[in-house]
Short mmCIF file of all heavy atoms in Angstrom, two decimals:
data_model
loop_
_atom_site.label_atom_id
_atom_site.label_comp_id
_atom_site.label_asym_id
_atom_site.label_seq_id
_atom_site.Cartn_x
_atom_site.Cartn_y
_atom_site.Cartn_z
N GLY B 164 20.74 90.08 108.37
CA GLY B 164 21.50 90.93 109.26
C GLY B 164 23.01 90.56 109.27
O GLY B 164 23.59 90.14 108.34
N ASN B 165 23.43 90.56 110.49
CA ASN B 165 24.83 90.24 110.66
C ASN B 165 25.08 88.86 111.08
O ASN B 165 26.15 88.46 111.49
CB ASN B 165 25.39 91.17 111.87
CG ASN B 165 25.58 92.61 111.31
OD1 ASN B 165 25.69 92.82 110.13
ND2 ASN B 165 25.45 93.55 112.31
N GLU B 166 24.04 88.00 111.03
CA GLU B 166 24.16 86.61 111.42
C GLU B 166 25.02 85.86 110.47
O GLU B 166 25.02 86.04 109.30
CB GLU B 166 22.80 85.92 111.40
CG GLU B 166 21.87 86.46 112.36
CD GLU B 166 20.48 85.77 112.42
OE1 GLU B 166 20.48 84.52 111.90
OE2 GLU B 166 19.46 86.44 112.76
N LYS B 167 25.98 85.11 111.01
CA LYS B 167 26.84 84.16 110.26
C LYS B 167 26.12 82.96 109.72
O LYS B 167 25.34 82.35 110.52
CB LYS B 167 28.14 83.87 111.01
CG LYS B 167 29.01 85.06 111.23
CD LYS B 167 30.20 84.68 111.88
CE LYS B 167 31.08 85.88 112.09
NZ LYS B 167 32.39 85.53 112.81
N GLU B 168 26.44 82.51 108.56
CA GLU B 168 25.74 81.36 107.98
C GLU B 168 26.31 80.22 108.73
O GLU B 168 27.64 80.00 108.68
CB GLU B 168 25.97 81.21 106.50
CG GLU B 168 25.33 80.08 105.85
CD GLU B 168 25.47 80.04 104.38
OE1 GLU B 168 25.83 81.10 103.76
OE2 GLU B 168 25.25 78.98 103.80
N GLY B 169 25.55 79.22 109.26
CA GLY B 169 26.17 78.11 109.97
C GLY B 169 25.70 76.83 109.25
O GLY B 169 24.54 76.75 108.68
N HIS B 170 26.57 75.81 109.41
CA HIS B 170 26.22 74.46 108.77
C HIS B 170 26.64 73.44 109.81
O HIS B 170 27.47 73.72 110.68
CB HIS B 170 27.11 74.22 107.44
CG HIS B 170 26.77 75.22 106.48
ND1 HIS B 170 25.76 75.05 105.56
CD2 HIS B 170 27.38 76.52 105.98
CE1 HIS B 170 25.71 76.16 104.76
NE2 HIS B 170 26.72 77.04 105.06
N VAL B 171 26.06 72.26 109.77
CA VAL B 171 26.42 71.20 110.56
C VAL B 171 26.95 70.13 109.76
O VAL B 171 26.34 69.72 108.82
CB VAL B 171 25.24 70.73 111.30
CG1 VAL B 171 25.57 69.47 112.25
CG2 VAL B 171 24.63 71.88 112.31
N TYR B 172 28.05 69.60 110.04
CA TYR B 172 28.78 68.47 109.29
C TYR B 172 29.41 67.53 110.34
O TYR B 172 30.15 67.92 111.17
CB TYR B 172 29.89 69.02 108.47
CG TYR B 172 30.68 67.99 107.67
CD1 TYR B 172 30.09 67.37 106.65
CD2 TYR B 172 32.01 67.72 108.09
CE1 TYR B 172 30.88 66.42 105.91
CE2 TYR B 172 32.64 66.72 107.42
CZ TYR B 172 32.08 66.19 106.29
OH TYR B 172 32.89 65.06 105.68
N ARG B 173 28.79 66.31 110.27
CA ARG B 173 29.25 65.28 111.19
C ARG B 173 29.13 65.70 112.67
O ARG B 173 30.06 65.47 113.40
CB ARG B 173 30.67 64.82 110.84
CG ARG B 173 30.80 64.13 109.51
CD ARG B 173 32.20 63.53 109.30
NE ARG B 173 32.25 62.93 107.96
CZ ARG B 173 33.31 62.43 107.50
NH1 ARG B 173 34.47 62.56 108.03
NH2 ARG B 173 33.33 61.87 106.27
N GLY B 174 28.11 66.43 112.86
CA GLY B 174 27.83 66.86 114.27
C GLY B 174 28.58 68.03 114.77
O GLY B 174 28.44 68.56 115.86
N ILE B 175 29.35 68.67 113.85
CA ILE B 175 30.18 69.91 114.17
C ILE B 175 29.44 71.11 113.50
O ILE B 175 29.35 71.04 112.24
CB ILE B 175 31.57 69.74 113.66
CG1 ILE B 175 32.25 68.53 114.45
CG2 ILE B 175 32.38 70.96 114.00
CD1 ILE B 175 33.63 68.18 113.83
N THR B 176 29.23 72.12 114.21
CA THR B 176 28.70 73.36 113.68
C THR B 176 29.82 74.19 113.24
O THR B 176 30.75 74.44 114.01
CB THR B 176 27.81 74.08 114.61
OG1 THR B 176 26.78 73.18 115.01
CG2 THR B 176 27.10 75.26 113.94
N TYR B 177 29.78 74.78 112.07
CA TYR B 177 30.86 75.61 111.55
C TYR B 177 30.19 76.76 110.65
O TYR B 177 29.20 76.59 110.22
CB TYR B 177 31.88 74.79 110.79
CG TYR B 177 31.39 74.23 109.51
CD1 TYR B 177 31.67 74.80 108.36
CD2 TYR B 177 30.74 73.08 109.41
CE1 TYR B 177 31.09 74.30 107.09
CE2 TYR B 177 30.21 72.45 108.23
CZ TYR B 177 30.38 73.21 107.09
OH TYR B 177 30.00 72.61 105.96
N SER B 178 31.01 77.75 110.47
CA SER B 178 30.58 78.91 109.66
C SER B 178 31.47 78.90 108.35
O SER B 178 32.58 78.82 108.47
CB SER B 178 30.77 80.18 110.31
OG SER B 178 30.65 81.30 109.46
N THR B 179 30.67 79.01 107.25
CA THR B 179 31.51 79.02 105.97
C THR B 179 31.94 80.50 105.60
O THR B 179 32.72 80.70 104.76
CB THR B 179 30.64 78.53 104.79
OG1 THR B 179 29.48 79.32 104.79
CG2 THR B 179 30.27 77.11 104.94
N SER B 180 31.43 81.48 106.32
CA SER B 180 31.74 82.90 106.03
C SER B 180 33.13 83.22 106.34
O SER B 180 33.58 84.25 105.89
CB SER B 180 30.79 83.85 106.74
OG SER B 180 31.02 83.67 108.14
N GLU B 181 33.79 82.45 107.18
CA GLU B 181 35.18 82.74 107.52
C GLU B 181 36.20 81.83 106.79
O GLU B 181 37.45 82.05 106.96
CB GLU B 181 35.34 82.50 109.06
CG GLU B 181 34.53 83.44 109.87
CD GLU B 181 34.72 83.18 111.32
OE1 GLU B 181 35.53 82.41 111.75
OE2 GLU B 181 33.89 83.75 112.07
N ILE B 182 35.81 80.99 105.87
CA ILE B 182 36.64 80.25 105.02
C ILE B 182 37.12 81.05 103.85
O ILE B 182 36.30 81.54 103.00
CB ILE B 182 35.96 78.86 104.63
CG1 ILE B 182 35.67 77.99 105.84
CG2 ILE B 182 36.84 78.18 103.63
CD1 ILE B 182 34.86 76.79 105.38
N GLN B 183 38.35 81.20 103.60
CA GLN B 183 38.84 81.95 102.38
C GLN B 183 38.69 81.08 101.21
O GLN B 183 38.84 79.87 101.31
CB GLN B 183 40.36 82.26 102.64
CG GLN B 183 40.64 83.27 103.65
CD GLN B 183 42.14 83.63 103.70
OE1 GLN B 183 42.96 83.05 103.16
NE2 GLN B 183 42.41 84.81 104.37
N ARG B 184 38.32 81.67 100.15
CA ARG B 184 37.99 80.91 98.95
C ARG B 184 38.91 81.48 97.78
O ARG B 184 39.14 82.74 97.68
CB ARG B 184 36.54 80.97 98.50
CG ARG B 184 35.67 80.26 99.45
CD ARG B 184 34.22 80.56 99.17
NE ARG B 184 33.31 79.69 99.97
CZ ARG B 184 32.98 79.97 101.18
NH1 ARG B 184 33.34 80.96 101.76
NH2 ARG B 184 32.15 79.20 101.82
N ARG B 185 39.32 80.59 96.92
CA ARG B 185 40.04 80.99 95.76
C ARG B 185 39.49 80.13 94.56
O ARG B 185 39.05 78.97 94.73
CB ARG B 185 41.58 80.62 95.94
CG ARG B 185 42.29 81.31 96.95
CD ARG B 185 42.45 82.82 96.73
NE ARG B 185 43.29 83.44 97.73
CZ ARG B 185 42.83 84.14 98.74
NH1 ARG B 185 41.52 84.21 98.89
NH2 ARG B 185 43.54 84.73 99.59
N TYR B 186 39.43 80.71 93.37
CA TYR B 186 39.14 80.03 92.21
C TYR B 186 40.28 79.81 91.36
O TYR B 186 41.01 80.73 91.01
CB TYR B 186 37.95 80.81 91.47
CG TYR B 186 37.58 80.18 90.20
CD1 TYR B 186 36.63 79.22 90.12
CD2 TYR B 186 38.17 80.59 88.91
CE1 TYR B 186 36.16 78.57 89.04
CE2 TYR B 186 37.68 79.99 87.86
CZ TYR B 186 36.75 78.98 87.82
OH TYR B 186 36.44 78.39 86.63
N LEU B 187 40.59 78.61 91.01
CA LEU B 187 41.76 78.17 90.26
C LEU B 187 41.26 77.49 89.02
O LEU B 187 40.51 76.53 89.09
CB LEU B 187 42.69 77.41 90.99
CG LEU B 187 43.91 76.85 90.33
CD1 LEU B 187 44.87 78.00 89.97
CD2 LEU B 187 44.66 75.84 91.37
N SER B 188 41.71 77.90 87.84
CA SER B 188 41.25 77.29 86.59
C SER B 188 42.51 76.69 85.88
O SER B 188 43.52 77.42 85.74
CB SER B 188 40.65 78.38 85.71
OG SER B 188 40.24 77.78 84.45
N ILE B 189 42.36 75.42 85.57
CA ILE B 189 43.58 74.75 84.96
C ILE B 189 43.05 74.00 83.68
O ILE B 189 42.09 73.35 83.81
CB ILE B 189 44.17 73.74 85.93
CG1 ILE B 189 44.68 74.42 87.21
CG2 ILE B 189 45.33 73.01 85.24
CD1 ILE B 189 45.11 73.48 88.30
N VAL B 190 43.68 74.11 82.66
CA VAL B 190 43.37 73.44 81.49
C VAL B 190 44.49 72.54 81.02
O VAL B 190 45.60 73.00 80.89
CB VAL B 190 43.04 74.45 80.23
CG1 VAL B 190 42.81 73.74 78.95
CG2 VAL B 190 41.90 75.36 80.61
N VAL B 191 44.16 71.28 80.92
CA VAL B 191 45.13 70.32 80.58
C VAL B 191 44.53 69.37 79.47
O VAL B 191 43.31 69.17 79.30
CB VAL B 191 45.62 69.41 81.75
CG1 VAL B 191 46.17 70.29 82.75
CG2 VAL B 191 44.48 68.62 82.33
N SER B 192 45.38 68.63 78.72
CA SER B 192 44.88 67.71 77.72
C SER B 192 44.30 66.50 78.49
O SER B 192 44.54 66.27 79.63
CB SER B 192 45.98 67.37 76.83
OG SER B 192 46.95 66.68 77.50
N ASP B 193 43.43 65.85 77.74
CA ASP B 193 42.73 64.69 78.42
C ASP B 193 43.73 63.64 79.02
O ASP B 193 43.31 63.11 80.12
CB ASP B 193 41.86 63.91 77.33
CG ASP B 193 40.64 64.75 76.84
OD1 ASP B 193 40.32 65.61 77.63
OD2 ASP B 193 40.06 64.35 75.84
N SER B 194 44.82 63.49 78.48
CA SER B 194 45.74 62.47 79.01
C SER B 194 46.33 62.94 80.40
O SER B 194 46.83 62.07 81.12
CB SER B 194 46.93 62.26 78.05
OG SER B 194 47.62 63.44 77.81
N PHE B 195 46.18 64.23 80.76
CA PHE B 195 46.72 64.66 82.06
C PHE B 195 45.66 64.95 83.02
O PHE B 195 45.98 65.37 84.19
CB PHE B 195 47.55 65.96 81.80
CG PHE B 195 48.94 65.72 81.16
CD1 PHE B 195 49.10 65.94 79.86
CD2 PHE B 195 49.90 65.28 81.91
CE1 PHE B 195 50.35 65.70 79.29
CE2 PHE B 195 51.22 65.10 81.47
CZ PHE B 195 51.33 65.23 80.10
N VAL B 196 44.36 64.65 82.77
CA VAL B 196 43.31 64.91 83.73
C VAL B 196 43.48 64.20 85.05
O VAL B 196 43.50 64.86 86.14
CB VAL B 196 41.91 64.69 83.14
CG1 VAL B 196 40.81 64.79 84.19
CG2 VAL B 196 41.67 65.64 82.06
N ASP B 197 43.69 62.89 84.96
CA ASP B 197 43.76 62.15 86.17
C ASP B 197 45.02 62.46 86.95
O ASP B 197 45.01 62.56 88.21
CB ASP B 197 43.82 60.55 85.83
CG ASP B 197 42.47 60.13 85.37
OD1 ASP B 197 41.39 60.76 85.67
OD2 ASP B 197 42.42 59.08 84.71
N LYS B 198 46.18 62.71 86.34
CA LYS B 198 47.37 63.07 86.95
C LYS B 198 47.22 64.46 87.66
O LYS B 198 47.71 64.62 88.80
CB LYS B 198 48.53 63.17 86.04
CG LYS B 198 48.97 61.79 85.38
CD LYS B 198 50.03 62.02 84.32
CE LYS B 198 50.33 60.70 83.67
NZ LYS B 198 51.37 60.84 82.72
N THR B 199 46.59 65.38 87.13
CA THR B 199 46.34 66.76 87.57
C THR B 199 45.46 66.54 88.82
O THR B 199 45.72 67.24 89.85
CB THR B 199 45.68 67.67 86.50
OG1 THR B 199 46.48 67.62 85.40
CG2 THR B 199 45.53 69.01 87.11
N ILE B 200 44.32 65.86 88.78
CA ILE B 200 43.50 65.59 89.86
C ILE B 200 44.18 65.02 91.10
O ILE B 200 44.11 65.53 92.21
CB ILE B 200 42.29 64.81 89.49
CG1 ILE B 200 41.42 65.51 88.53
CG2 ILE B 200 41.56 64.32 90.73
CD1 ILE B 200 40.32 64.53 87.94
N LYS B 201 45.01 64.03 90.80
CA LYS B 201 45.78 63.34 91.84
C LYS B 201 46.81 64.36 92.52
O LYS B 201 46.96 64.44 93.75
CB LYS B 201 46.50 62.17 91.27
CG LYS B 201 47.28 61.35 92.40
CD LYS B 201 48.00 60.17 91.79
CE LYS B 201 48.74 59.30 92.83
NZ LYS B 201 49.21 59.86 94.00
N ALA B 202 47.49 65.18 91.75
CA ALA B 202 48.49 66.13 92.20
C ALA B 202 47.78 67.10 93.11
O ALA B 202 48.33 67.54 94.16
CB ALA B 202 49.21 66.82 91.03
N ILE B 203 46.61 67.60 92.73
CA ILE B 203 45.85 68.69 93.56
C ILE B 203 45.45 68.01 94.86
O ILE B 203 45.57 68.53 95.85
CB ILE B 203 44.62 69.21 92.79
CG1 ILE B 203 45.10 70.02 91.60
CG2 ILE B 203 43.73 70.02 93.61
CD1 ILE B 203 43.98 70.31 90.55
N ILE B 204 44.96 66.79 94.82
CA ILE B 204 44.40 66.17 96.05
C ILE B 204 45.60 65.77 96.97
O ILE B 204 45.59 66.02 98.12
CB ILE B 204 43.62 64.90 95.67
CG1 ILE B 204 42.23 65.32 95.11
CG2 ILE B 204 43.37 64.03 97.00
CD1 ILE B 204 41.46 64.26 94.44
N ASP B 205 46.72 65.20 96.38
CA ASP B 205 47.84 64.84 97.12
C ASP B 205 48.54 66.05 97.83
O ASP B 205 48.94 65.99 99.00
CB ASP B 205 48.95 64.16 96.30
CG ASP B 205 48.49 62.74 95.86
OD1 ASP B 205 47.47 62.26 96.44
OD2 ASP B 205 49.19 62.21 95.02
N SER B 206 48.58 67.16 97.20
CA SER B 206 49.15 68.36 97.77
C SER B 206 48.25 69.29 98.57
O SER B 206 48.63 70.03 99.39
CB SER B 206 49.80 69.23 96.74
OG SER B 206 48.85 69.71 95.82
N GLY B 207 46.93 69.15 98.35
CA GLY B 207 46.00 70.16 98.95
C GLY B 207 45.15 69.58 100.04
O GLY B 207 44.46 70.33 100.90
N ALA B 208 44.99 68.21 100.08
CA ALA B 208 44.06 67.67 101.06
C ALA B 208 44.51 67.85 102.55
O ALA B 208 45.66 67.35 102.82
CB ALA B 208 43.77 66.28 100.72
N THR B 209 43.74 68.35 103.37
CA THR B 209 44.08 68.39 104.83
C THR B 209 43.07 67.59 105.65
O THR B 209 43.27 67.53 106.84
CB THR B 209 44.06 69.98 105.32
OG1 THR B 209 42.69 70.30 105.28
CG2 THR B 209 44.94 70.79 104.51
N ASP B 210 42.02 67.13 105.03
CA ASP B 210 40.99 66.35 105.68
C ASP B 210 40.19 67.20 106.60
O ASP B 210 39.61 66.78 107.58
CB ASP B 210 41.52 65.08 106.49
CG ASP B 210 40.48 64.02 106.70
OD1 ASP B 210 39.49 64.01 105.98
OD2 ASP B 210 40.52 63.36 107.72
N ARG B 211 40.14 68.49 106.31
CA ARG B 211 39.34 69.44 107.11
C ARG B 211 38.31 70.14 106.20
O ARG B 211 38.52 70.19 105.06
CB ARG B 211 40.26 70.52 107.73
CG ARG B 211 41.25 69.90 108.75
CD ARG B 211 41.94 70.91 109.60
NE ARG B 211 42.21 72.15 108.81
CZ ARG B 211 43.34 72.90 108.92
NH1 ARG B 211 44.23 72.44 109.78
NH2 ARG B 211 43.50 73.94 108.29
N ILE B 212 37.31 70.63 106.78
CA ILE B 212 36.37 71.37 106.06
C ILE B 212 36.97 72.58 105.35
O ILE B 212 37.85 73.29 105.97
CB ILE B 212 35.24 71.97 107.02
CG1 ILE B 212 34.45 70.80 107.60
CG2 ILE B 212 34.29 72.91 106.30
CD1 ILE B 212 33.59 71.12 108.75
N GLY B 213 36.67 72.81 104.16
CA GLY B 213 37.34 73.93 103.41
C GLY B 213 38.35 73.56 102.43
O GLY B 213 39.06 74.39 101.79
N ASP B 214 38.74 72.19 102.38
CA ASP B 214 39.66 71.67 101.41
C ASP B 214 39.42 72.10 99.98
O ASP B 214 40.30 72.21 99.22
CB ASP B 214 39.89 70.27 101.49
CG ASP B 214 40.78 69.76 102.70
OD1 ASP B 214 41.37 70.70 103.31
OD2 ASP B 214 40.93 68.52 102.83
N GLY B 215 38.14 72.31 99.65
CA GLY B 215 37.74 72.73 98.33
C GLY B 215 37.15 71.63 97.54
O GLY B 215 36.85 70.49 98.13
N LYS B 216 36.89 71.92 96.31
CA LYS B 216 36.14 70.95 95.34
C LYS B 216 36.93 71.01 94.06
O LYS B 216 37.49 72.12 93.76
CB LYS B 216 34.76 71.33 95.20
CG LYS B 216 33.94 71.20 96.48
CD LYS B 216 32.51 71.63 96.19
CE LYS B 216 31.63 71.46 97.48
NZ LYS B 216 32.06 72.22 98.62
N ILE B 217 36.87 70.06 93.35
CA ILE B 217 37.31 70.00 91.91
C ILE B 217 36.16 69.76 91.00
O ILE B 217 35.42 68.90 91.12
CB ILE B 217 38.39 68.90 91.74
CG1 ILE B 217 39.61 69.07 92.58
CG2 ILE B 217 38.82 68.76 90.21
CD1 ILE B 217 40.55 67.96 92.56
N PHE B 218 35.96 70.75 90.08
CA PHE B 218 34.95 70.55 89.07
C PHE B 218 35.66 70.37 87.67
O PHE B 218 36.63 70.95 87.38
CB PHE B 218 34.17 71.94 88.90
CG PHE B 218 33.41 72.23 90.22
CD1 PHE B 218 34.06 73.18 91.15
CD2 PHE B 218 32.13 71.83 90.43
CE1 PHE B 218 33.36 73.50 92.23
CE2 PHE B 218 31.45 72.20 91.56
CZ PHE B 218 32.04 73.03 92.50
N ILE B 219 35.12 69.38 87.01
CA ILE B 219 35.81 68.98 85.72
C ILE B 219 34.74 69.30 84.59
O ILE B 219 33.66 68.79 84.66
CB ILE B 219 36.19 67.49 85.76
CG1 ILE B 219 37.16 67.32 86.94
CG2 ILE B 219 36.84 67.07 84.37
CD1 ILE B 219 37.49 65.80 87.23
N SER B 220 35.26 69.96 83.61
CA SER B 220 34.39 70.22 82.50
C SER B 220 35.31 70.12 81.24
O SER B 220 36.52 70.34 81.24
CB SER B 220 33.64 71.47 82.59
OG SER B 220 34.57 72.61 82.71
N SER B 221 34.70 70.00 80.08
CA SER B 221 35.38 69.99 78.83
C SER B 221 35.54 71.44 78.27
O SER B 221 34.69 72.15 78.52
CB SER B 221 34.84 69.02 77.82
OG SER B 221 33.45 69.47 77.44
N VAL B 222 36.53 71.58 77.49
CA VAL B 222 36.71 72.85 76.81
C VAL B 222 36.41 72.58 75.25
O VAL B 222 37.11 71.66 74.69
CB VAL B 222 38.20 73.40 76.96
CG1 VAL B 222 38.42 74.60 76.17
CG2 VAL B 222 38.43 73.66 78.53
N ASP B 223 35.53 73.25 74.73
CA ASP B 223 35.07 72.95 73.37
C ASP B 223 36.12 73.38 72.31
O ASP B 223 36.35 72.76 71.37
CB ASP B 223 33.76 73.54 73.02
CG ASP B 223 32.67 73.00 73.82
OD1 ASP B 223 32.72 71.80 74.13
OD2 ASP B 223 31.60 73.72 74.12
N GLU B 224 36.71 74.52 72.61
CA GLU B 224 37.75 75.12 71.66
C GLU B 224 38.54 76.10 72.41
O GLU B 224 38.21 76.75 73.43
CB GLU B 224 37.05 75.85 70.49
CG GLU B 224 37.95 76.34 69.51
CD GLU B 224 38.73 75.32 68.72
OE1 GLU B 224 39.94 74.97 69.26
OE2 GLU B 224 38.42 74.79 67.69
N VAL B 225 39.81 76.19 71.92
CA VAL B 225 40.76 77.21 72.44
C VAL B 225 41.49 77.82 71.30
O VAL B 225 41.78 77.21 70.33
CB VAL B 225 41.80 76.60 73.49
CG1 VAL B 225 42.54 75.55 72.81
CG2 VAL B 225 42.64 77.71 74.06
N ILE B 226 41.53 79.26 71.42
CA ILE B 226 42.24 79.99 70.38
C ILE B 226 43.22 80.89 70.95
O ILE B 226 42.90 81.66 71.95
CB ILE B 226 41.23 80.75 69.47
CG1 ILE B 226 40.20 79.86 68.86
CG2 ILE B 226 41.92 81.62 68.52
CD1 ILE B 226 39.00 80.49 68.20
N ARG B 227 44.47 80.86 70.55
CA ARG B 227 45.50 81.76 71.20
C ARG B 227 45.41 83.08 70.33
O ARG B 227 45.44 83.04 69.14
CB ARG B 227 46.88 81.10 70.91
CG ARG B 227 47.92 81.94 71.49
CD ARG B 227 49.35 81.41 71.31
NE ARG B 227 49.32 79.99 71.78
CZ ARG B 227 50.22 79.48 72.41
NH1 ARG B 227 51.25 80.09 72.80
NH2 ARG B 227 50.19 78.15 72.76
N ILE B 228 45.04 84.10 71.01
CA ILE B 228 44.76 85.39 70.34
C ILE B 228 45.90 85.88 69.57
O ILE B 228 45.80 86.43 68.45
CB ILE B 228 44.22 86.45 71.44
CG1 ILE B 228 42.89 86.01 72.06
CG2 ILE B 228 44.22 87.80 70.81
CD1 ILE B 228 42.52 86.85 73.20
N ARG B 229 47.09 85.78 70.12
CA ARG B 229 48.30 86.42 69.53
C ARG B 229 48.59 85.83 68.17
O ARG B 229 48.96 86.40 67.25
CB ARG B 229 49.46 86.24 70.39
CG ARG B 229 50.85 86.87 69.85
CD ARG B 229 51.93 86.80 70.86
NE ARG B 229 52.07 85.42 71.44
CZ ARG B 229 52.78 84.39 70.86
NH1 ARG B 229 53.38 84.62 69.70
NH2 ARG B 229 52.89 83.22 71.56
N THR B 230 48.48 84.50 68.00
CA THR B 230 48.90 83.73 66.84
C THR B 230 47.76 83.22 66.06
O THR B 230 47.87 82.91 64.80
CB THR B 230 49.87 82.60 67.17
OG1 THR B 230 49.07 81.65 67.93
CG2 THR B 230 51.05 82.96 67.98
N GLY B 231 46.56 83.14 66.64
CA GLY B 231 45.46 82.54 65.89
C GLY B 231 45.36 81.09 65.89
O GLY B 231 44.54 80.45 65.39
N GLU B 232 46.38 80.40 66.62
CA GLU B 232 46.42 78.94 66.66
C GLU B 232 45.19 78.47 67.43
O GLU B 232 44.71 79.16 68.36
CB GLU B 232 47.64 78.51 67.47
CG GLU B 232 48.97 78.77 66.79
CD GLU B 232 50.18 78.45 67.60
OE1 GLU B 232 50.31 79.21 68.67
OE2 GLU B 232 50.89 77.48 67.35
N SER B 233 44.77 77.35 67.07
CA SER B 233 43.58 76.79 67.78
C SER B 233 43.87 75.27 68.21
O SER B 233 44.89 74.61 67.71
CB SER B 233 42.32 76.87 67.00
OG SER B 233 42.49 76.14 65.75
N GLY B 234 43.02 74.78 69.02
CA GLY B 234 43.08 73.36 69.37
C GLY B 234 44.25 73.14 70.21
O GLY B 234 44.69 73.97 71.06
N LYS B 235 44.84 71.92 70.16
CA LYS B 235 46.00 71.48 71.02
C LYS B 235 47.21 72.41 70.89
O LYS B 235 47.97 72.63 71.79
CB LYS B 235 46.42 70.05 70.72
CG LYS B 235 45.36 69.09 71.21
CD LYS B 235 46.00 67.64 71.03
CE LYS B 235 44.88 66.64 71.53
NZ LYS B 235 45.35 65.28 71.30
N ASN B 236 47.32 73.05 69.61
CA ASN B 236 48.52 73.94 69.38
C ASN B 236 48.49 75.13 70.20
O ASN B 236 49.44 75.91 70.51
CB ASN B 236 48.63 74.22 68.01
CG ASN B 236 49.04 73.06 67.13
OD1 ASN B 236 49.72 72.14 67.64
ND2 ASN B 236 48.59 73.01 65.84
N ALA B 237 47.16 75.54 70.63
CA ALA B 237 47.04 76.80 71.36
C ALA B 237 47.26 76.61 72.88
O ALA B 237 47.43 77.49 73.63
CB ALA B 237 45.60 77.36 71.05
N ILE B 238 47.24 75.29 73.31
CA ILE B 238 47.34 75.11 74.76
C ILE B 238 48.87 75.05 75.02
O ILE B 238 49.32 75.62 75.93
CB ILE B 238 46.77 73.70 75.16
CG1 ILE B 238 45.26 73.74 74.96
CG2 ILE B 238 47.18 73.30 76.63
CD1 ILE B 238 44.56 72.44 75.29
#
């Protein structure tokens, strides 16, 4: 029904249904992964519920449609 989903975190009950969510996808070369993570955390952390999560995965291949370039040249 109309019940809001509730969670308990460190003794505080909160609802996740009112937290705005965005999905941001960033592709960087391996040498920039740590710098990118640090920049996101440094600029986005509020130490409150809803700060978000960072998921890290590899990209097997990239191809630029317009030119047909692939690999690092396509990034």
Side-chain angles (χ1 to χ4, degrees):
N165 291 332
E166 294 179 27
K167 292 183 179 181
E168 183 178 343
H170 299 276
V171 177
Y172 177 73
R173 294 185 179 174
I175 301 170
T176 302
Y177 66 96
S178 170
T179 59
S180 64
E181 296 176 12
I182 296 174
Q183 291 184 346
R184 292 173 171 83
R185 300 288 187 264
Y186 177 82
L187 177 63
S188 177
I189 301 172
V190 176
V191 297
S192 62
D193 289 342
S194 61
F195 284 100
V196 171
D197 291 338
K198 292 177 185 177
T199 304
I200 292 168
K201 184 177 181 336
I203 292 168
I204 291 172
D205 288 349
S206 64
T209 65
D210 198 29
R211 296 189 328 216
I212 295 168
D214 275 357
K216 295 174 178 65
I217 298 174
F218 298 93
I219 302 170
S220 60
S221 61
V222 175
D223 294 331
E224 182 62 273
V225 59
I226 300 169
R227 186 181 307 223
I228 295 172
R229 179 175 52 85
T230 63
E232 293 172 293
S233 62
K235 290 183 179 180
N236 291 331
I238 296 177

